[in-house]
Amino acid sequence: MHQTPSWLDEAVFYEIYPQSFYDSNDDGIGDIPGITAKLDYISSLGCNALWINPCFDSPFKDAGYDVRDYTKVAPRYGTNQDLVDLFGQAHRRGIHVLLDLVPGHTSEEHAWFASSGRASRNEYSDRYIWTDSSFEGYPGMPFIGGEAPRDAAYILNFFKCQPALNYGFASRDRSWQQSPDDPGPTATRQAMIDVMRFWLSQGCDGFRVDMADSLVKNDDKEKTATIDTWHRLFEPIREEFPQAAFVSEWGKPWQSLEAGFDMDFYLNWRRSGVPNGYNFLTRNTEDELEGPDDASYFKADSKTGISDFLADYLPQYLRSRNRGSFCFITCNHDTTRLAPRLTPEEIKVAYGMFLTMPGVPFIYYGDEIGMRYQTLPTKEGGYHRTGSRTPMQWDRSANRGFSKADPTELYLPVDGSPDAPNVADQDGDPESLLTFIRQMTTLRSGHQSLRPGADFAVVHAPRHGRSFAYTRTQGDDRLLVALNPGRQEEDLPLSLVSTGAADQIPRPLVMVNSDLSQGTLALRGQSFAVLAL
């Protein structure tokens, strides 16, 4: 097993959707120099790592997840040199930068795909997955025929514009299906190694990897062949760049960490009405936008306890601990924002938990001020996701400080509500969500017990209450974290947790709507507390 990069031990990530963060040249679209201009702000949040969504050349039919050239920055964002300059400026501030790698498919406009679709055999013929006839598909896999000189149909990974790269089939029942060891998949792996090597050599610190579990087709439930493929991809990269970090869009940490990733996300899944643990906490409703029947744990009036979340989370945590990080996110570019469905008070309790749980936390841009989901028409394949990708709200000026362009030229419209949250209003406000986020990241940086792999133990999870408490421990540093998202006060006797010497009094570090008195922590409605034990 490889050694996890040492810098991840203190990392707090900030995810940036580049087209919506800050527009430096007033064309209405955020760009890489705009990110560089805001590095001091990011540092002020206590975030010392970035994940930047795809910034490579693309026709943008899927917001950049349809890559046309892996080694060229999209002109609307700037140049390759702009990205190299960002790496340098970030490193001077102690900030690491991950780019978004899309290894499973490209744009249909990629030069590889144009060559692959030629009627005559060439070095790219097996770079993608093609059947033996333009009229032949494959059960369970979307395909397109009749769009290339080659008499074959190609398999898709997502949208029509995203042909799947060929990493082989674990089990094969058609003549056109190749083994992961065949020359085509071998060449695909090498091409992706070359892409990673290119950017790592330019100063990139690693990658978030899109759809990381989907490379090898017809794989078994444990993703045996895909895991092996990642071993082959990582082997030369780990040797050359031992401090490079990788986080997977996978959602099953016992698999992804076995594959060689350093981190995996606790993704928001709700399948056939059944929530996973993360959905159970934050979006336990069929309608994530309105959610009048919202049974989310963090919803003050839901009456939901923590037990069902723990039933989903603990087995995954125990199965993967000491192998890497299972990471909590505030949101991401594919997920509806918590606001306005959750109130600022509800969100504060949620983020307090996310920033003190095991793993490396990820904050989605704008979540630190409670930016709200906007109901908008689709943009660049976003559909329902579009409303979580709106411009960052910096102040009360035109376009919320995102851009000086005409509002009609903006990538997406800003939140036009008079009370739209913004950085300027919350900066310095002791009660703001922004101040709370900074308080929590400062707490993380000062305590070994909040490192990703520090011990985690549940000490209070009543079946019929709303409160929840756990300890985080690393050596002599021990913290108690307690929260109550409900409206009714619940008391937590500190006798439930050892506080060390008999005369040792727990020391409050963070107290939101909570009080400590005579050996009892009173958790009033919508409360959060951290005590040093």
Side-chain angles (χ1 to χ4, degrees):
M1 184 178 295
H2 78 279
Q3 187 71 31
T4 297
S6 57
W7 60 269
L8 287 179
D9 204 39
E10 299 182 12
V12 177
F13 275 88
Y14 192 70
E15 180 192 350
I16 292 177
Y17 197 65
Q19 51 268 64
S20 294
F21 192 59
Y22 185 63
D23 173 18
S24 72
N25 62 359
D26 302 329
D27 65 354
I29 299 177
D31 46 51
I32 289 168
I35 298 172
T36 304
K38 295 295 186 179
L39 287 173
D40 287 340
Y41 167 75
I42 293 165
S43 184
S44 81
L45 294 176
C47 292
N48 53 16
L50 298 179
W51 157 27
I52 300 175
N53 292 121
C55 56
F56 307 133
D57 182 49
S58 168
F60 292 103
K61 294 181 180 179
D62 187 20
Y65 283 93
D66 49 328
V67 178
R68 185 163 50 198
D69 187 338
Y70 286 105
T71 58
K72 178 184 176 182
V73 167
R76 77 184 195 182
Y77 297 138
T79 65
N80 282 26
Q81 187 58 51
D82 288 330
L83 190 52
V84 172
D85 291 344
L86 169 60
F87 296 151
Q89 290 293 333
H91 293 162
R92 291 186 186 96
R93 293 165 172 81
I95 298 173
H96 291 80
V97 183
L98 302 191
L99 298 180
D100 213 319
L101 183 68
V102 187
H105 55 262
T106 69
S107 164
E108 61 190 351
E109 297 183 19
H110 199 294
W112 296 346
F113 187 67
S115 295
S116 188
R118 292 174 185 162
S120 58
R121 291 282 301 174
N122 61 78
E123 64 176 303
Y124 297 101
S125 294
D126 295 328
R127 184 61 55 86
Y128 297 83
I129 303 173
W130 294 87
T131 69
D132 280 340
S133 166
S134 292
F135 301 95
E136 177 189 0
Y138 189 68
M141 295 184 187
F143 67 95
I144 296 288
E147 293 213 346
R150 180 175 181 169
D151 184 12
Y154 58 89
I155 301 298
L156 302 173
N157 254 6
F158 198 52
F159 289 148
K160 177 261 177 189
C161 61
Q162 292 162 314
L165 286 164
N166 181 21
Y167 292 89
F169 282 68
S171 63
R172 297 169 290 282
D173 55 12
R174 299 289 193 277
S175 60
W176 48 266
Q177 295 171 349
Q178 299 181 354
S179 162
D181 293 319
D182 282 345
T186 299
T188 302
R189 288 195 303 271
Q190 186 57 53
M192 207 51 57
I193 289 169
D194 291 343
V195 169
M196 291 188 284
R197 182 182 286 122
F198 177 86
W199 287 111
L200 290 168
S201 68
Q202 299 293 310
C204 169
D205 297 297
F207 298 91
R208 175 268 189 183
V209 179
D210 182 66
M211 296 176 63
D213 64 335
S214 67
L215 298 190
V216 178
K217 306 305 182 185
N218 283 1
D219 207 352
D220 57 31
K221 289 184 179 180
E222 287 304 311
K223 298 291 182 177
T224 305
T226 297
I227 288 172
D228 181 67
T229 288
W230 278 112
H231 288 166
R232 301 187 202 195
L233 287 164
F234 284 141
E235 184 176 7
I237 294 298
R238 294 291 189 192
E239 183 175 345
E240 296 174 46
F241 304 96
Q243 286 295 302
F246 293 84
V247 56
S248 63
E249 184 186 36
W250 197 304
K252 295 182 179 179
W254 65 93
Q255 294 178 355
S256 57
L257 302 180
E258 171 63 25
F261 285 92
D262 303 293
M263 302 171 281
D264 193 5
F265 292 119
Y266 206 173
L267 297 170
N268 181 59
W269 287 344
R270 186 177 184 84
R271 293 171 174 168
S272 301
V274 179
N276 76 336
Y278 182 81
N279 185 270
F280 183 89
L281 290 175
T282 59
R283 298 171 181 83
N284 192 4
T285 170
E286 292 298 327
D287 184 351
E288 293 187 358
L289 306 186
E290 299 295 336
D293 60 341
D294 194 344
S296 302
Y297 174 68
F298 290 120
K299 195 71 176 173
D301 296 319
S302 72
K303 298 182 171 56
T304 298
I306 196 66
S307 298
D308 288 342
F309 160 75
L310 292 174
D312 182 82
Y313 172 73
L314 285 176
Q316 298 182 80
Y317 166 72
L318 294 172
R319 194 172 176 182
S320 59
R321 63 176 307 206
N322 300 323
R323 303 174 71 181
S325 289
F326 192 27
C327 302
F328 284 83
I329 61 174
T330 61
C331 180
N332 69 19
H333 61 289
D334 285 334
T335 306
T336 54
R337 291 190 188 267
L338 295 183
R341 194 178 48 76
L342 295 187
T343 67
E345 294 76 18
E346 291 166 339
I347 290 171
K348 188 176 289 188
V349 177
Y351 292 173
M353 177 177 161
F354 293 165
L355 289 167
T356 53
M357 287 290 283
V360 179
F362 283 72
I363 298 170
Y364 186 48
Y365 83 96
D367 279 355
E368 73 274 17
I369 57 171
M371 273 181 58
R372 299 180 291 219
Y373 180 89
Q374 305 294 305
T375 302
L376 295 171
T378 186
K379 176 79 170 187
E380 295 183 349
Y383 298 98
H384 70 281
R385 305 171 299 176
T386 302
S388 293
R389 301 174 176 185
T390 54
M392 179 66 178
Q393 296 156 200
W394 295 103
D395 53 41
R396 290 175 177 257
S397 66
N399 299 326
R400 299 287 181 250
F402 162 70
S403 173
K404 293 184 174 64
D406 186 281
T408 62
E409 300 298 320
L410 297 186
Y411 174 76
L412 285 171
V414 299
D415 183 346
S417 304
D419 63 344
N422 66 79
V423 172
D425 284 353
Q426 294 192 21
D427 195 16
D429 177 356
E431 301 301 319
S432 71
L433 182 58
L434 178 59
T435 297
F436 178 72
I437 290 289
R438 287 171 168 158
Q439 181 184 16
M440 293 305 303
T441 56
T442 299
L443 182 74
R444 282 189 66 90
S445 68
H447 286 273
Q448 292 290 322
S449 58
L450 293 178
R451 298 293 184 259
D455 287 344
F456 166 78
V458 175
V459 297
H460 178 69
R463 292 290 306 179
H464 301 293
R466 302 296 314 281
S467 54
F468 175 41
Y470 48 94
T471 55
R472 300 295 313 280
T473 307
Q474 182 80 11
D476 294 331
D477 188 32
R478 191 164 183 244
L479 299 182
L480 173 69
V481 181
L483 51 139
N484 173 21
R487 297 196 185 276
Q488 304 303 313
E489 179 175 322
E490 296 187 22
D491 292 339
L492 176 65
L494 295 183
S495 58
L496 291 174
V497 57
S498 170
T499 57
D503 59 348
Q504 183 172 329
I505 300 174
R507 179 166 54 94
L509 300 176
V510 178
M511 300 290 280
V512 177
N513 293 334
S514 52
D515 294 297
L516 180 63
S517 178
Q518 298 180 340
T520 298
L521 178 61
L523 296 167
R524 298 197 299 275
Q526 298 180 297
S527 56
F528 177 81
V530 181
L531 307 180
L533 300 178

